[in-house]
């Protein structure tokens, strides 16, 4: 059954040899000088492009950087080397590459003004609060990328795989946030990168082992991962899973609270003609209620009364009006 499924996923006529995979993924084999020169050149250029895209909040530019970024090559090389039970130096290459991209992001972040609101930039905000679905997507990308590498006829999907997984942009965001002394935001971006890294390696190890590349090198434990490597990767995968799951749960809670706050604010303005709630945001542990009111606001205590029991006690509430007026309503439950 397993061999039948393997032949469906990877028909013998489309199977790439282990030598071909090693040539593509191992920077320490073959013409190492040319390989490393191309890798570091393209990595530097992709980091500069990604930083430009992040700083200008340009999705198209960031996608362009993701397409040419070569960082997935040594990462998948880690997966192949782990399955084959041999050291390739790929882990060291990935570590040095990460440091290079972060440093470039930190240096180029000087182009932003000192009072720049990082979370107003969608490229930054979307990469500093990773969730469990980011891990699921990265794992699926690892499966897709390793299958594409193993087949001769699916190489055309690799640019799509490069776009699907976010490797260089989170590192750039981490550097930009560090340059603006926003340690927590930088940590969020690093967690996203690390989760993508482990998911890619884990997915690649599973696929390469299942497709028989572990046994191609003549090792005794044909067709399965070495126990120590498998345990180590599973442990690291679980370590990444915990903060992502916690952040996902927190995000769901915040979404629930903001939805309740919007409903309470709408009821608070129900007696005011043409008054509407345009949105509710939770930023830096503060609830911002954005309203459009042609006349005067109703008593602010009424809003706090309606929020009592709907959101946690002690949360500061700020009301923003379309006429540029900002009112500090106080804290819920106090």
């Amino acid at each position: 059954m397993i061999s039948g499924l393997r032949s469906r996923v990877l028909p013998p006529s489309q199977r790439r040899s282990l030598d071909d995979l090693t040539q593509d993924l191992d920077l320490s084999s073959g013409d190492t000088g040319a390989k490393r020169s191309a890798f570091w050149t393209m990595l530097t250029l992709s980091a500069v492009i990604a930083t430009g895209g992040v700083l200008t909040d340009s999705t198209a530019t960031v996608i362009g950087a993701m397409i040419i970024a070569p960082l997935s090559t040594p990462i998948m090389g880690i997966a192949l080397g782990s399955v084959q039970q041999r050291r390739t130096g790929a882990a060291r290459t990935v570590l040095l590459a990460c440091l290079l991209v972060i440093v470039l992001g930190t240096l180029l972040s000087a182009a932003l003004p000192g009072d720049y609101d990082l979370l107003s930039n969608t490229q930054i905000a979307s990469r500093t609060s990773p969730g469990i679905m980011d891990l699921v997507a990265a794992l699926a990308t690892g499966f897709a990328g390793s299958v594409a590498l193993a087949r001769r006829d699916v190489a055309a999907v690799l640019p799509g795989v490069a776009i699907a997984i976010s490797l260089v942009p989170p590192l750039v965001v981490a550097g930009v946030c560090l340059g603006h002394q926003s340690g927590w935001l930088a940590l969020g971006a690093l967690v996203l990168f690390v989760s993508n890294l482990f998911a890619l390696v884990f997915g690649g190890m599973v696929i390469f082992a299942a497709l028989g590349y572990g046994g191609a090198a003549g090792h005794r434990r044909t067709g399965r991962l070495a126990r120590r490597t498998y345990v180590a990767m599973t442990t690291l995968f679980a370590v990444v899973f915990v903060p992502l799951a916690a952040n996902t749960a927190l995000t769901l809670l915040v979404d629930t609270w903001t939805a309740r706050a919007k409903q309470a604010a709408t009821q608070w303005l129900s007696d005011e003609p043409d008054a509407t709630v345009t949105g509710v945001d939770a930023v830096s542990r503060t609830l911002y209620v954005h309203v459009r009111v042609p006349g005067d606001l109703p008593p602010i205590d009424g809003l706090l009364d309606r929020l009592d029991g709907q959101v946690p006690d002690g949360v500061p509430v700020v009301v923003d009006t379309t006429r540029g007026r900002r009112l500090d309503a106080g804290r819920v439950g106090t």
Side-chain angles (χ1 to χ4, degrees), residues 209-223:
L211 295 180
Y213 286 102
H219 294 289
R220 295 180 179 179
R221 287 171 285 192
T222 303

Side-chain angles (χ1 to χ4, degrees), residues 254 257-262 280-290 303 307 310-312 315-320 327 329-330 332:
V254 171
W257 292 333
T258 53
R260 291 178 178 176
K262 185 174 183 179
V280 177
D281 299 322
V283 181
S284 300
R285 301 179 182 179
T286 301
L287 203 61
Y288 290 87
V289 180
H290 307 280
L303 175 60
L307 289 174
Q310 301 300 313
V311 300
V315 173
V317 178
V318 175
V319 178
D320 274 328
L327 299 176
V332 177

Side-chain angles (χ1 to χ4, degrees), residues 91-173:
R92 181 176 64 253
T93 300
V94 171
L95 177 60
L96 293 175
C98 292
L99 293 176
L100 172 64
V101 176
I102 291 174
V103 168
L104 286 175
T106 302
L107 294 176
L108 295 177
S109 69
L112 292 177
D115 59 348
Y116 184 79
D117 182 10
L118 294 176
L119 291 179
S120 67
N121 186 316
T122 59
Q123 299 301 321
I124 295 176
S126 63
R127 292 182 172 89
T128 53
S129 184
I132 196 66
M133 288 307 300
D134 292 300
L135 186 63
V136 173
L139 185 59
T141 303
F143 291 150
S146 51
V147 170
L149 286 167
R151 294 184 58 124
R152 300 180 185 276
D153 59 342
V154 196
V157 308
L158 288 180
V161 172
I163 295 174
I165 192 66
S166 190
L167 293 172
V168 169
L171 293 174
V172 167
V173 170

Side-chain angles (χ1 to χ4, degrees), residues 22-301:
T22 302
Q23 182 67 23
D24 288 347
L25 300 179
D26 189 355
L27 300 181
S28 63
S29 66
D31 190 351
T32 58
K35 284 183 177 182
R36 290 171 179 170
S37 174
F39 174 79
W40 291 110
T41 299
M42 295 306 294
L43 179 68
T44 301
L45 292 175
S46 67
V48 173
I49 294 171
T51 304
V54 168
L55 296 182
T56 58
D57 201 359
S58 171
T59 301
T61 304
V62 172
I63 291 176
M66 293 164 71
I67 293 176
I68 69 171
L71 195 52
S72 60
T73 297
I75 290 176
M76 297 307 290
I78 295 174
L80 183 61
S82 299
V83 169
Q84 293 181 310
Q85 297 293 293
R86 65 186 183 88
R87 296 181 179 180
T88 63
R92 181 176 64 253
T93 300
V94 171
L95 177 60
L96 293 175
C98 292
L99 293 176
L100 172 64
V101 176
I102 291 174
V103 168
L104 286 175
T106 302
L107 294 176
L108 295 177
S109 69
L112 292 177
D115 59 348
Y116 184 79
D117 182 10
L118 294 176
L119 291 179
S120 67
N121 186 316
T122 59
Q123 299 301 321
I124 295 176
S126 63
R127 292 182 172 89
T128 53
S129 184
I132 196 66
M133 288 307 300
D134 292 300
L135 186 63
V136 173
L139 185 59
T141 303
F143 291 150
S146 51
V147 170
L149 286 167
R151 294 184 58 124
R152 300 180 185 276
D153 59 342
V154 196
V157 308
L158 288 180
V161 172
I163 295 174
I165 192 66
S166 190
L167 293 172
V168 169
L171 293 174
V172 167
V173 170
V176 171
C177 293
L178 286 175
H180 277 252
Q181 300 180 352
S182 298
W184 282 109
L185 294 181
L187 180 61
L190 285 176
V191 169
L192 174 60
F193 171 78
V194 171
S195 67
N196 289 343
L197 169 64
F198 287 149
L200 277 177
V201 174
F202 187 83
M205 289 170 62
V206 171
I207 294 298
F208 288 145
L211 295 180
Y213 286 102
H219 294 289
R220 295 180 179 179
R221 287 171 285 192
T222 303
R224 63 188 180 91
L225 301 173
R227 179 175 299 177
R228 291 173 59 184
T229 303
Y230 183 83
V231 170
M233 284 304 304
T234 302
T235 302
L236 292 173
F237 197 76
V239 169
V240 173
F241 178 86
V242 171
L244 292 182
N247 190 66
T248 299
L250 179 60
T251 300
L252 293 175
L253 280 176
V254 171
D255 289 343
T256 300
W257 292 333
T258 53
R260 291 178 178 176
K262 185 174 183 179
Q263 183 179 7
T266 300
Q267 295 173 352
W268 172 57
L269 295 177
S270 60
D271 294 333
E272 301 295 325
D274 300 322
T276 59
V277 180
T278 60
V280 177
D281 299 322
V283 181
S284 300
R285 301 179 182 179
T286 301
L287 203 61
Y288 290 87
V289 180
H290 307 280
V291 300
R292 181 183 292 114
V293 183
D296 295 329
L297 287 171
I300 205 72
D301 291 341

